[in-house]
Amino acid sequence: MFNKILIANRGEIACRVAATAARMGIRTVAVYSDADASAKHVAACDEAVHIGGNAPKDSYLRWERILEAARATGAQAVHPGYGFLSENEAFAQACADAGVVFIGPPPAAIKAMGLKAESKRLMAQAGVPLVPGYHAQDQDPALLLTEADRIGYPVLIKASAGGGGKGMRVVEAAQDFAAALASCKREAINSFGDDAVLIEKYVQRPRHIEIQVFGDTQGNFVYLFERDCSVQRRHQKVLEEAPAPGLAPSMRAEMGAAAVAAARAVQYVGAGTVEFIVEQRPDCSMQFFFMEMNTRLQVEHPVTEAITGLDLVEWQLRVADGEALPLRQEQLRITGHAIEARICAENPDKNFLPATGRLSVYRKPVASAFERNTHADRVRIDDGVEEGDAISPYYDSMVAKLIVHGDDRAQALARLDDALARMHIVGLNTNVQFLRYVLRSPSFAQARLDTALIVREQAVLFQQEPIGLALAAAAAVAQTLLDERALAGADPFSRRDGWRAYGLAVRRFGFEFAGTPTQAQLTYLRDGSLQLEVAGQTGPLVFEPSGSGIALQFGGLRHTVFVYRQGEWAHVFAPHGATRILAIDLLAHAGDQQAEGGRLTAPMPGKVLSFAVKAGDKVSKGQALAVMEAMKMEHTIAAPADGVVSELLFAPGDQVFEGAELLRLAG
Ligand code: ADP
Ligand code: ADP
Ligand code: MG
């Protein structure tokens, strides 16, 4: 076995590969860009080599530099992960030429499967079923139109070199064909440098079911069953599960045999995935067609690991080292049900627009250790980030993968929902709450899966508010009081809830929730208990710390909530969902704590919109000084105390980091 390998990737997959290598006693070399100098994957490896700038073309795609790093560190093999160089035939060949083992298929197999059109011609010869379509070389637009007419609308125009859901256009009728073709070709040339297209019948309400295959250098092949990846947005996978609900054992065997035939046809070696599109007929029968083969380890491979109890990276390493496949087909079994959720930095309510920012809070559910050949991994988190890390615009928006395993689908679903509830991320928008809505949607819960699920269920997926104002406000008030008590320590005279000492038994909180300003009133009763009035509800507010959360009672319900404050926002996580609420007088308290130094800092990363003052101005406590924009909302920075503005440290339009000093006040 290799003594040392280089991992030519970043993020969660680099960490994932490093974990198996470490378990097998193989040393690892990381490579990293400027932005990744202190990334988790660098720490996860034994050595690390800096390979260049932030843009992938300046670092993770620079294969000469990566091979140089392999030579310099004495790495005997390179694991490419997924994305980047993983399906680059030239890189695989360059590794071979340099005497370094490429942990993946031979260059010829990558090439054969690299272009969708050519791979389909090969698959037709190998007897693998194809979606009716046109895959030939002639790209004459008139011919393509004739072919589309022959196939029958709707049709799908696909970039032959495409990937990642890009370069596809659905055409409903002949008169739209020319415009769609031109736009598809433009995207294809820009994204893939090759504008050749193929045309396929557009399958209605299809399922995406793929088969994990493995080959070795001795010509053995197995399939490790299927993954259903039908739940997609923009033709990209969101949830993946195995086994595929409702797949008959006979059809699984047929698909497995077709996938092995596909792999055999290109003399495949290592891990690969054959993707099929499955047509669901009105009579409930299903028919599968080859879509493409991904010649790498797939993002969703942990689902297969969970149901087989195998470590696919270990298999990759063994096969790359020339060993035979560890198991034969008849030794492979499916146990239970597994689901993976991709947690992405994005805004589902804004058409899944990618989000960037800092993970100011990143708390995860407790995972069981990664162990081989057990089904103990009931909850697994694969990630490449730590709390405090930035999600930059340079790379993929995937923050983490949450993988759960259950005895059956219902148990796996419940476990995933619970694990998502324990995933606390503050600092950027994510799809965590959205994923929970998908899990609970009737279609997903009842396993009525197809690629249109998200569109069909949109009424229950978007623009939802999981937690009401009353609970959010009660949680924010409770956290404020707990923070104040912690600050004041045991000294009763400096306790804020000792306001009664000055004759005040009532305290008001200003909130803004879901865009609407509102007020809450907290009354300190003579017996020492608290009463809260908010959102038309009045009742006792009872709370105490519980672990890092708060055991909270309000409105007749008990909840364990977690509240994280970021500037004036309180981010509230309850078992049934998460939300954020703007707690206006929390800012005043934050200001009080800053008053001594006369400093004013940005409560969160964002843009300075304007200053209401200039150097030399006299200001009084509470006066608005500056307005910032962060997370598409405006925030006013108010004077924490009376004073004179001595200096403005930024100009309107400047981007500032969280904690950046915006202006100075002299006392
Ligand atoms: P999977 O089928 O494993 O889910 P995806 O298609 O989502 O894979 O892609 C996996 C990773 O590879 C993603 O990070 C994606 O951005 C990247 N990727 C896939 N195809 C391409 C491509 N043609 N060019 C660049 N990146 C790609
Ligand atoms: P990529 O390389 O981007 O992954 P694929 O060919 O694998 O491209 O297709 C991606 C997704 O597009 C599929 O998972 C499926 O949802 C949809 N799709 C692809 N081909 C068809 C088709 N013929 N009919 C309907 N949907 C399709
Ligand atoms: Mg695909």
Side-chain angles (χ1 to χ4, degrees):
M1 183 49 65
F2 313 115
N3 300 320
K4 194 191 265 189
I5 62 170
L6 182 144
I7 303 170
N9 214 301
R10 64 179 302 282
E12 66 90 13
I13 193 62
C15 296
R16 159 74 192 87
V17 172
T20 290
R23 190 174 54 68
M24 294 174 69
I26 300 169
R27 297 183 63 78
T28 48
V29 181
V31 292
Y32 64 94
S33 65
D34 292 342
D36 282 341
S38 56
K40 187 174 173 181
H41 82 271
V42 172
C45 292
D46 299 304
E47 292 170 65
V49 181
H50 175 247
I51 51 168
N54 294 332
K57 70 168 174 36
D58 298 327
S59 49
Y60 299 104
L61 291 175
R62 284 179 70 187
W63 49 268
E64 307 84 348
R65 186 76 193 83
I66 289 171
L67 276 176
E68 217 174 280
R71 254 193 307 275
T73 54
Q76 299 143 316
V78 172
H79 195 303
Y82 55 71
F84 296 130
L85 296 169
S86 61
E87 294 176 280
N88 188 316
E89 174 211 352
F91 177 64
Q93 187 58 54
C95 286
D97 296 344
V100 174
V101 176
F102 176 76
I103 303 169
I110 299 179
K111 179 166 193 225
M113 290 297 186
L115 292 175
K116 291 186 206 294
E118 271 158 45
S119 71
K120 283 182 179 168
R121 294 202 287 271
L122 262 173
M123 290 303 108
Q125 285 164 24
V128 179
L130 297 182
V131 189
Y134 172 81
H135 323 114
Q137 265 156 338
D138 193 339
Q139 295 283 307
D140 172 31
L143 171 75
L144 293 177
L145 176 62
T146 316
E147 288 295 328
D149 291 344
R150 177 185 61 81
I151 296 161
Y153 297 92
V155 297
L156 185 62
I157 310 177
K158 264 191 206 180
S160 186
K166 275 197 190 157
M168 287 194 272
R169 295 289 183 281
V170 181
V171 186
E172 301 285 349
Q175 71 263 25
D176 304 329
F177 187 83
L181 177 65
S183 131
C184 184
K185 280 185 175 283
R186 267 196 308 275
E187 184 170 312
I189 200 91
N190 285 332
S191 302
F192 314 109
D194 175 351
D195 72 352
V197 299
L198 58 100
I199 303 170
E200 277 178 4
K201 172 171 153 26
Y202 186 64
V203 182
Q204 308 279 343
R205 295 189 53 237
R207 283 170 75 173
H208 171 121
I209 302 180
E210 58 186 34
I211 305 281
Q212 175 72 55
V213 293
F214 244 99
D216 64 20
T217 47
Q218 282 107 80
N220 302 305
F221 290 94
V222 294
Y223 63 92
L224 289 94
F225 315 109
E226 77 280 5
R227 294 181 290 255
D228 190 314
C229 312
S230 300
V231 183
Q232 303 182 345
R233 53 132 175 78
R234 298 169 161 184
H235 301 299
Q236 285 171 0
K237 298 160 187 169
V238 174
L239 288 162
E240 299 110 338
E241 61 183 295
L247 184 69
S250 57
M251 184 164 163
R252 171 175 300 126
E254 274 177 58
M255 292 179 78
V260 165
R264 200 184 293 280
V266 296
Q267 294 171 29
Y268 200 80
V269 176
T273 295
V274 182
E275 296 189 332
F276 294 101
I277 192 146
V278 177
E279 187 166 16
Q280 313 192 81
R281 302 272 163 79
D283 66 357
C284 292
S285 67
M286 300 203 279
Q287 195 170 355
F288 67 89
F289 305 102
F290 172 86
M291 199 156 42
E292 64 165 343
M293 181 168 187
N294 292 326
T295 53
R296 56 173 153 89
L297 188 68
Q298 207 107 335
V299 173
E300 57 273 20
H301 75 277
V303 165
T304 301
E305 297 185 321
I307 59 154
T308 58
L310 301 169
D311 179 337
L312 299 197
V313 173
E314 177 181 345
W315 277 40
Q316 284 190 298
L317 291 165
R318 293 197 180 285
V319 164
D321 194 38
E323 288 184 31
L325 290 175
L327 295 173
R328 293 186 310 276
Q329 192 66 49
E330 57 277 16
Q331 295 174 295
L332 293 162
R333 293 274 174 285
I334 297 178
T335 306
H337 197 96
I339 311 182
E340 172 182 281
R342 298 192 189 195
I343 295 172
C344 298
E346 65 186 19
N347 192 340
D349 285 343
K350 291 195 177 138
N351 201 17
F352 301 98
L353 197 73
T356 54
R358 199 167 285 283
L359 294 164
S360 56
V361 174
Y362 179 56
R363 305 281 155 83
K364 305 180 267 188
V366 176
S368 33
F370 189 84
E371 274 173 58
R372 185 167 167 247
N373 284 333
T374 69
H375 292 97
D377 289 337
R378 289 293 171 121
V379 177
R380 167 173 164 185
I381 300 136
D382 280 17
D383 63 10
V385 289
E386 313 264 24
E387 191 166 88
D389 282 358
I391 302 296
S392 70
Y394 307 114
Y395 312 110
D396 212 273
S397 62
M398 195 168 75
V399 177
K401 305 187 304 201
L402 200 51
I403 307 101
V404 298
H405 184 254
D407 295 339
D408 54 27
R409 188 171 191 267
Q411 200 184 76
L413 238 82
R415 202 161 265 153
L416 181 56
D417 191 54
D418 182 65
L420 285 166
R422 293 168 200 276
M423 195 87 193
H424 299 169
I425 299 178
V426 176
L428 40 75
N429 275 309
T430 71
N431 62 344
V432 170
Q433 188 65 45
F434 171 78
L435 289 166
R436 299 188 72 191
Y437 289 131
V438 175
L439 294 187
R440 293 177 212 167
S441 70
S443 296
F444 194 81
Q446 295 159 23
R448 284 186 278 118
L449 305 178
D450 61 74
T451 61
L453 186 146
I454 287 177
V455 173
R456 179 168 68 249
E457 294 283 9
Q458 55 186 315
V460 295
L461 301 182
F462 299 103
Q463 313 291 345
Q464 305 288 310
E465 196 52 75
I467 292 188
L469 166 63
L471 175 59
V477 168
Q479 184 67 50
T480 302
L481 299 181
L482 285 172
D483 287 351
E484 287 172 1
R485 284 176 197 174
L487 262 180
D491 175 5
F493 293 102
S494 59
R495 280 171 71 149
R496 269 193 188 267
D497 52 2
W499 281 21
R500 277 168 297 164
Y502 309 103
L504 283 172
V506 165
R507 183 170 171 189
R508 284 178 206 287
F509 288 82
F511 288 112
E512 199 179 304
F513 184 70
T516 312
T518 184
Q519 287 238 344
Q521 184 169 300
L522 182 71
T523 309
Y524 295 81
L525 300 176
R526 287 191 189 284
D527 64 1
S529 66
L530 298 168
Q531 180 169 291
L532 183 66
E533 187 183 338
V534 65
Q537 277 190 50
T538 306
L541 175 69
V542 180
F543 57 88
E544 58 180 5
S546 162
S548 57
I550 306 173
L552 180 77
Q553 284 183 58
F554 183 65
L557 292 171
R558 297 177 70 109
H559 305 270
T560 300
V561 297
F562 295 80
V563 182
Y564 306 94
R565 301 209 336 217
Q566 193 193 33
E568 25 191 9
W569 289 101
H571 295 261
V572 180
F573 294 81
H576 49 292
T579 192
R580 57 181 190 165
I581 180 167
L582 190 71
I584 287 155
D585 76 351
L586 293 181
L587 178 68
H589 299 315
D592 283 354
Q593 290 151 30
Q594 293 182 353
E596 280 166 309
R599 283 168 181 231
L600 280 158
T601 52
M604 59 186 69
K607 186 163 90 176
V608 178
L609 288 184
S610 62
F611 282 99
V613 292
K614 57 183 188 313
D617 282 1
K618 266 180 109 164
V619 297
S620 48
K621 180 172 174 168
Q623 186 180 335
L625 303 178
V627 181
M628 276 189 65
E629 183 194 70
M631 302 179 116
K632 308 260 179 281
M633 313 265 307
E634 289 188 8
H635 308 270
T636 302
I637 313 292
D642 296 351
V644 175
V645 177
S646 52
E647 198 181 351
L648 303 185
L649 298 165
F650 286 94
D654 285 351
Q655 289 287 344
V656 294
F657 291 111
E658 181 180 345
E661 199 177 348
L662 300 179
L663 68 165
R664 280 202 189 113
L665 274 192

